[in-house]
Every structure is written in C-alpha cells, then in structure tokens.
Amino acid sequence: TAQEILVDNAGYPTESIARNSHDYRPLGLGYANLGALLMASGFPYDSDSGRDLAACVTAIMCGEAYLQSSKIAELCQPLSPAGDKLKDVNVEGGACPGWYINREPFLDVIRMHRASVNNIGASATSASAALKVLIEASKDCWDEALAHGEKFGYRNSQVTVLAPTGTIGFFMDCDTTGIEPDLALVKYKKLVGGGMIKIVNNTVPTALFKLGYNHDQADAIVSYIDATGTIEGAPHVKDDHLAVFDCSFKPAKGTRSIAYMGHLKMMAAAQPFISGAISKTVNLPESATVEDISEAYIQAWKLGLKAVAIYRDGCKKSQPLSAAGTKTAEASDKNVRATQLLPEDDLQAPPRAVRHKLEDERMSITHKFNVGGHEGYITVGLYRDGSPGELFITMAKEGSTVSGLMDSFACAVSLALQHGVPLKLLCEKFAHTRFEPSGWTNNPDIGFAKSIMDYIFRWLQLRFLTGQQQLLFENLRPKLSAVSSQSSAEDLPSLGSGNLPTTTDDARRTTGKIHAADALAEMIDMGDAPSCHVCGSIMVRNGSCYKCMSCGSTSGCS
C-alpha cells in the first residue's frame, strides 16, 4: 500500500517512463535475510527443504501483494492513462489503466503464478509439518488473489522484485542480503571511507539451539568459529548438521561451500513468484574454469531465470566482502584483531613490524648543511653496529612552520627506521625531490640540491650506504695537475695539529689540490644553461657544450 501511494508522488526521468509507470503502476516488494532464516530454521541453503521454505515465503509475499493490489482497485476510483480520474468512460473499479486493455493476459499471468504453487513440496524430502502448513497457506493465498482479481482487477501490473539490499540489509541488522546465503561465517567488509570491519554471523547460535545443542556446546562452537572462521572441526558439531552452515565462499581452514547449482536452484524456486527478476550473485570458487561459468549460464537459462550474475572469487583486485583468511581479508586481519581484541590464530597474516628502539645512550653524527642560503643541522642517532636509527633535522627558529614540518618529518623517518624500513628505500623515494628552497650547497659531493629533502637523503646515502656514490663523485671532480699529483700525504696538515688552511689560497698552497666547490666558482655559469636531462640540475658551460656537475652528464660533445 505504501509503494502504491508513491507511484503518483514520485518523479520520473522521461515522459515515456512516467506514462508507463502510471499506466501499469509496477511495484517492487521484496525481502532480505533469507539465508539467515533458513539457517535459523535448521535448513541447509542447498537442500529441497530450504528451497521449499524459500518458495513458500516468496509465494505468500507475492500472492498477498496481488490480493492487496486487487483490494485497492476495488476501493479506489478509476484512473485514466494520464494518471487522472477517468471522465466520461464507463469502467468499474480503480485498476491500473493497462488492466482494461490486457485483462486476459493479465489473468493468465496470475494463473501461472497460482499453478506454480503446486510444484512446491514435490520432493519427498520436504515432509515437515511446518512446510506443509506453509504450502497450504500459499495455495489459499493465490486462490483468493485470483478470485478477487477476476472480479475487480489489479491496481499494479508488477508487485515483487528481489533487490540486493546491501546497505539496507546492514541498516536492518541482517546477517544475509536479499535471497543470498551468507558469504562466510566470518567475513570482512571494505568501507567506502577506508578501512574494513569484521562481521560475524549472529544467526549461528539460534541455529545451534534449533538443532538441539545446549548453551555450553553453542558457546564452544561459536568461539571456535570466531577463532578459525569455519565450523568444520568445531567441538560437539554433528557431521549431518554441517550443511546448515554452508556459505558461498570456502573458508581458509575448511573444505565446504555451496556449489553454483545450489545458488541457481534457489533462484529457480523463488522466480515463479517474482514479477520482475532476482538480483543475486552466483559465487564460484577461484579455481572455476571457463567451462564452469559457461555451464552456470546454460543451467540458469534452463531453469527459467530472468537474470543471473556470475562472480568468481578473487577475479577483482578489490572486492567489498571477503571471507576470513582470503587474500583480501589478510591485509586487514592485523588491524581487525587490534581493534576487536580477537584471539590469535595461524591465518596467513602479513608480517608484523616490531619496533627496535635505540638505547638511552647512543652514538650520533651531526652534519651542518646549507642549501641555497638556508642552513640547518642533521643529527643521526646510531645503533651499536653504526646503522642509523633516528633522524633529527634542525632548521629555522623553534616554533616556525619550517621547524615544525622538519621535526614531524624526521620523527616519521625515525619510526620507519626503527620498524625496519631500509634506509636505501627511503633514499630512493626522497632523493631528487624538487621543491623550494633549492640551490648550491657547500658539500662538494652533492653540489646542487633540488630541495632540502634531496640534500638530506643524498647525504644519508653517501654517508651510510655502500659508498659507491663516493667513488662516482671522485671521478667527477677536477683533475689534478702533474705537479700537484706528486704531492705526498705528508704535505697534508694533520687534523689535530691546528694548522688547517683558512682560505682557498692557503689550501692550494698547502696541498696543491683544488676543492670541487672552489672549481665550480671559477667556472662560468651561463644564464641560459639548460637543466640536466638525467638529474634535473642546472648545467654549466664546458667548451661549446654543457656539463652537469651533479651527475656528470653532458649535452653531447665533452
């Protein structure tokens, strides 16, 4: 009745759809949670008794809907094809306008629905008293719907359809959606905004009590399901009761699941009492072949289904629902356990990172840098083996935006290092990142830095990784003259002598060597010099070509 009222108060996308909706007034009554109903009743989804129960529920829903549609037609005034009351037309009752030009075909459809009720319970296995009562109620319902419709017509041409009821099913706290069985006793649902939630079937205890188990036995079985994701192997469970708890997907620790023919036969049991079609997914395992899927479509056609959807488990990289222990669920298993305090199990979960903190008193290295006039300090805390375990970056004044960003970034890098993220990976990700401030540095091994991040991670790479970069830059430095190359190590000042050269000229006179940064100052940096095609640094004039002082690449001739 509520859906019938909405027909005249709804909006339609086109004029033709609006006219058709007013002429035939199709509705879409349906249900959800059928799989949970069957489980709670102690009937396996893939069984004759389960299909008979589903057929009875669907038949009564559709028959009562047509009966109510006929009663509304009896009480309401006639309607014109435009949706208004008929004027100057000699018709009786308030049936939909399409009824008057399709009366016999309309009644033939109702008679076919009524005849299909006789097929319910044809199997010898459906002998329970409860099912017999439902079958008789289905027949009485359709007898009344047909008789009343022959006299007054029907207000609606279509009354039922089975929708997926995904979100609505969650709102109604259903364990299953539409006509579907449960996907798994323990499953994970991906949320639209990110993250996943663990869903445990709450119908299992009701089904266990229905099958004769006491409270202690049910608690032990439910605990086993929560820990393993399957009822197979649970204490106290009888083998002939396992079929009641079969689901669409095979659990990681189990072997049982509903075959695709079980899905199709359930749809075939309900389809004779559905005006429209059934929205349902026929689930196949990941091992399903092309022939299996082809056969599923052929069988659906033979059973008289109006629509069918096939889904092979794992065929999509990401799927909204996953059984416990499957590849999709494994990625979230750690977080789910942490939030719900679930007991540990041996599912193939991803490795858990363990934080290795540094000792309270540790060695460290502090390095001063200057990038484009912006000075700062890098402090690296070391483990006993000399590998880095924490990073501090000091820049600008305390409390400034730059200082806060650098502190936060350094903290994130420190946590990554202490949780086992390789320094090499961090260097590969952040080196050569380009943003301001950028510029020349006072470090001859780095030269031009594209950003602060570029400098920090290139320095970390030079200082703590293999040292191959050191050799590379040695080859790129200016070559020494023959005279200066004869200078021995004895001419170099001692680091502890206090006689370090104070100027560039002193350094040249003392060592005979030219620092790479000093050599760069003597070279002419052309204003129109291009950027390096390898690393992006600004190149310098070298003869009639250009040379990159960061990576050694040239523009072609040198």
Side-chain angles (χ1 to χ4, degrees), residues 358-359 361-365 379-384 386-387 390:
L358 279 76
E359 298 178 349
E361 187 171 309
R362 78 292 297 260
M363 298 291 292
S364 65
I365 295 175
T379 301
V380 182
L382 305 176
Y383 288 106
R384 285 190 174 184
S387 59
E390 64 182 359

PDB file of all heavy atoms in Angstrom, residues 358-359 361-365 379-384 386-387 390:
ATOM      1  N   LEU A 358      66.349   2.661  20.077  1.00  0.00           N
ATOM      2  CA  LEU A 358      67.764   2.833  20.380  1.00  0.00           C
ATOM      3  C   LEU A 358      67.956   2.854  21.888  1.00  0.00           C
ATOM      4  O   LEU A 358      67.011   3.116  22.660  1.00  0.00           O
ATOM      5  CB  LEU A 358      68.294   4.139  19.776  1.00  0.00           C
ATOM      6  CG  LEU A 358      68.656   4.103  18.287  1.00  0.00           C
ATOM      7  CD1 LEU A 358      67.403   4.134  17.422  1.00  0.00           C
ATOM      8  CD2 LEU A 358      69.572   5.256  17.922  1.00  0.00           C
ATOM      9  N   GLU A 359      69.176   2.591  22.302  1.00  0.00           N
ATOM     10  CA  GLU A 359      69.487   2.654  23.724  1.00  0.00           C
ATOM     11  C   GLU A 359      69.392   4.092  24.210  1.00  0.00           C
ATOM     12  O   GLU A 359      69.468   5.049  23.431  1.00  0.00           O
ATOM     13  CB  GLU A 359      70.893   2.092  23.976  1.00  0.00           C
ATOM     14  CG  GLU A 359      71.040   0.620  23.578  1.00  0.00           C
ATOM     15  CD  GLU A 359      72.454   0.116  23.790  1.00  0.00           C
ATOM     16  OE1 GLU A 359      73.340   0.971  24.045  1.00  0.00           O
ATOM     17  OE2 GLU A 359      72.677  -1.089  23.721  1.00  0.00           O
ATOM     18  N   GLU A 361      71.492   5.762  25.775  1.00  0.00           N
ATOM     19  CA  GLU A 361      72.744   6.463  25.480  1.00  0.00           C
ATOM     20  C   GLU A 361      73.315   5.855  24.216  1.00  0.00           C
ATOM     21  O   GLU A 361      73.657   4.678  24.180  1.00  0.00           O
ATOM     22  CB  GLU A 361      73.726   6.318  26.649  1.00  0.00           C
ATOM     23  CG  GLU A 361      74.988   7.158  26.512  1.00  0.00           C
ATOM     24  CD  GLU A 361      75.827   7.155  27.779  1.00  0.00           C
ATOM     25  OE1 GLU A 361      75.277   7.427  28.863  1.00  0.00           O
ATOM     26  OE2 GLU A 361      77.039   6.869  27.691  1.00  0.00           O
ATOM     27  N   ARG A 362      73.380   6.685  23.158  1.00  0.00           N
ATOM     28  CA  ARG A 362      73.793   6.153  21.858  1.00  0.00           C
ATOM     29  C   ARG A 362      74.725   7.133  21.166  1.00  0.00           C
ATOM     30  O   ARG A 362      74.738   8.333  21.481  1.00  0.00           O
ATOM     31  CB  ARG A 362      72.565   5.856  20.989  1.00  0.00           C
ATOM     32  CG  ARG A 362      71.852   7.023  20.302  1.00  0.00           C
ATOM     33  CD  ARG A 362      71.143   7.955  21.248  1.00  0.00           C
ATOM     34  NE  ARG A 362      70.068   7.306  21.987  1.00  0.00           N
ATOM     35  CZ  ARG A 362      68.787   7.410  21.675  1.00  0.00           C
ATOM     36  NH1 ARG A 362      68.416   8.168  20.660  1.00  0.00           N
ATOM     37  NH2 ARG A 362      67.870   6.837  22.411  1.00  0.00           N
ATOM     38  N   MET A 363      75.490   6.612  20.205  1.00  0.00           N
ATOM     39  CA  MET A 363      76.366   7.450  19.401  1.00  0.00           C
ATOM     40  C   MET A 363      75.530   8.177  18.351  1.00  0.00           C
ATOM     41  O   MET A 363      74.458   7.733  17.959  1.00  0.00           O
ATOM     42  CB  MET A 363      77.435   6.601  18.703  1.00  0.00           C
ATOM     43  CG  MET A 363      78.374   5.870  19.656  1.00  0.00           C
ATOM     44  SD  MET A 363      79.462   7.000  20.539  1.00  0.00           S
ATOM     45  CE  MET A 363      80.492   7.577  19.178  1.00  0.00           C
ATOM     46  N   SER A 364      76.029   9.319  17.876  1.00  0.00           N
ATOM     47  CA  SER A 364      75.315  10.072  16.861  1.00  0.00           C
ATOM     48  C   SER A 364      76.292  10.872  16.017  1.00  0.00           C
ATOM     49  O   SER A 364      77.450  11.078  16.402  1.00  0.00           O
ATOM     50  CB  SER A 364      74.281  11.005  17.496  1.00  0.00           C
ATOM     51  OG  SER A 364      74.930  12.000  18.266  1.00  0.00           O
ATOM     52  N   ILE A 365      75.817  11.303  14.876  1.00  0.00           N
ATOM     53  CA  ILE A 365      76.600  12.132  13.949  1.00  0.00           C
ATOM     54  C   ILE A 365      75.785  13.380  13.650  1.00  0.00           C
ATOM     55  O   ILE A 365      74.588  13.295  13.356  1.00  0.00           O
ATOM     56  CB  ILE A 365      76.917  11.385  12.644  1.00  0.00           C
ATOM     57  CG1 ILE A 365      77.820  10.182  12.917  1.00  0.00           C
ATOM     58  CG2 ILE A 365      77.569  12.312  11.623  1.00  0.00           C
ATOM     59  CD1 ILE A 365      78.084   9.335  11.692  1.00  0.00           C
ATOM     60  N   THR A 379      71.130  15.484  12.557  1.00  0.00           N
ATOM     61  CA  THR A 379      71.689  14.629  13.604  1.00  0.00           C
ATOM     62  C   THR A 379      71.111  13.232  13.434  1.00  0.00           C
ATOM     63  O   THR A 379      69.883  13.063  13.401  1.00  0.00           O
ATOM     64  CB  THR A 379      71.358  15.161  15.001  1.00  0.00           C
ATOM     65  OG1 THR A 379      71.882  16.486  15.140  1.00  0.00           O
ATOM     66  CG2 THR A 379      71.951  14.267  16.074  1.00  0.00           C
ATOM     67  N   VAL A 380      71.996  12.255  13.313  1.00  0.00           N
ATOM     68  CA  VAL A 380      71.588  10.865  13.092  1.00  0.00           C
ATOM     69  C   VAL A 380      72.036  10.039  14.290  1.00  0.00           C
ATOM     70  O   VAL A 380      73.237   9.959  14.584  1.00  0.00           O
ATOM     71  CB  VAL A 380      72.200  10.289  11.797  1.00  0.00           C
ATOM     72  CG1 VAL A 380      71.720   8.865  11.583  1.00  0.00           C
ATOM     73  CG2 VAL A 380      71.829  11.167  10.610  1.00  0.00           C
ATOM     74  N   GLY A 381      71.058   9.437  15.006  1.00  0.00           N
ATOM     75  CA  GLY A 381      71.368   8.521  16.095  1.00  0.00           C
ATOM     76  C   GLY A 381      71.676   7.136  15.557  1.00  0.00           C
ATOM     77  O   GLY A 381      71.036   6.672  14.605  1.00  0.00           O
ATOM     78  N   LEU A 382      72.660   6.466  16.160  1.00  0.00           N
ATOM     79  CA  LEU A 382      73.173   5.203  15.617  1.00  0.00           C
ATOM     80  C   LEU A 382      72.932   4.048  16.570  1.00  0.00           C
ATOM     81  O   LEU A 382      72.964   4.197  17.799  1.00  0.00           O
ATOM     82  CB  LEU A 382      74.672   5.332  15.341  1.00  0.00           C
ATOM     83  CG  LEU A 382      75.116   6.488  14.439  1.00  0.00           C
ATOM     84  CD1 LEU A 382      76.636   6.525  14.366  1.00  0.00           C
ATOM     85  CD2 LEU A 382      74.503   6.365  13.058  1.00  0.00           C
ATOM     86  N   TYR A 383      72.665   2.877  15.968  1.00  0.00           N
ATOM     87  CA  TYR A 383      72.683   1.642  16.725  1.00  0.00           C
ATOM     88  C   TYR A 383      74.138   1.260  17.009  1.00  0.00           C
ATOM     89  O   TYR A 383      75.074   1.909  16.542  1.00  0.00           O
ATOM     90  CB  TYR A 383      71.995   0.518  15.936  1.00  0.00           C
ATOM     91  CG  TYR A 383      70.500   0.663  15.838  1.00  0.00           C
ATOM     92  CD1 TYR A 383      69.905   1.065  14.644  1.00  0.00           C
ATOM     93  CD2 TYR A 383      69.678   0.382  16.924  1.00  0.00           C
ATOM     94  CE1 TYR A 383      68.520   1.195  14.538  1.00  0.00           C
ATOM     95  CE2 TYR A 383      68.295   0.502  16.820  1.00  0.00           C
ATOM     96  CZ  TYR A 383      67.729   0.904  15.637  1.00  0.00           C
ATOM     97  OH  TYR A 383      66.367   1.032  15.538  1.00  0.00           O
ATOM     98  N   ARG A 384      74.320   0.210  17.755  1.00  0.00           N
ATOM     99  CA  ARG A 384      75.684  -0.221  18.103  1.00  0.00           C
ATOM    100  C   ARG A 384      76.492  -0.623  16.878  1.00  0.00           C
ATOM    101  O   ARG A 384      77.721  -0.493  16.872  1.00  0.00           O
ATOM    102  CB  ARG A 384      75.627  -1.393  19.085  1.00  0.00           C
ATOM    103  CG  ARG A 384      75.254  -0.973  20.498  1.00  0.00           C
ATOM    104  CD  ARG A 384      75.464  -2.128  21.470  1.00  0.00           C
ATOM    105  NE  ARG A 384      75.256  -1.714  22.842  1.00  0.00           N
ATOM    106  CZ  ARG A 384      75.460  -2.506  23.893  1.00  0.00           C
ATOM    107  NH1 ARG A 384      75.869  -3.765  23.705  1.00  0.00           N
ATOM    108  NH2 ARG A 384      75.253  -2.059  25.113  1.00  0.00           N
ATOM    109  N   GLY A 386      76.442   0.833  14.092  1.00  0.00           N
ATOM    110  CA  GLY A 386      76.710   2.002  13.271  1.00  0.00           C
ATOM    111  C   GLY A 386      75.622   2.341  12.270  1.00  0.00           C
ATOM    112  O   GLY A 386      75.752   3.336  11.547  1.00  0.00           O
ATOM    113  N   SER A 387      74.548   1.573  12.223  1.00  0.00           N
ATOM    114  CA  SER A 387      73.459   1.867  11.286  1.00  0.00           C
ATOM    115  C   SER A 387      72.537   2.918  11.891  1.00  0.00           C
ATOM    116  O   SER A 387      72.349   2.973  13.107  1.00  0.00           O
ATOM    117  CB  SER A 387      72.669   0.593  10.966  1.00  0.00           C
ATOM    118  OG  SER A 387      72.131   0.028  12.153  1.00  0.00           O
ATOM    119  N   GLU A 390      67.642   6.895  14.038  1.00  0.00           N
ATOM    120  CA  GLU A 390      66.783   8.049  14.259  1.00  0.00           C
ATOM    121  C   GLU A 390      67.355   9.238  13.519  1.00  0.00           C
ATOM    122  O   GLU A 390      68.548   9.274  13.170  1.00  0.00           O
ATOM    123  CB  GLU A 390      66.648   8.370  15.745  1.00  0.00           C
ATOM    124  CG  GLU A 390      67.949   8.790  16.405  1.00  0.00           C
ATOM    125  CD  GLU A 390      67.780   9.063  17.892  1.00  0.00           C
ATOM    126  OE1 GLU A 390      66.647   8.933  18.389  1.00  0.00           O
ATOM    127  OE2 GLU A 390      68.782   9.398  18.551  1.00  0.00           O
TER     128      GLU A 390
END
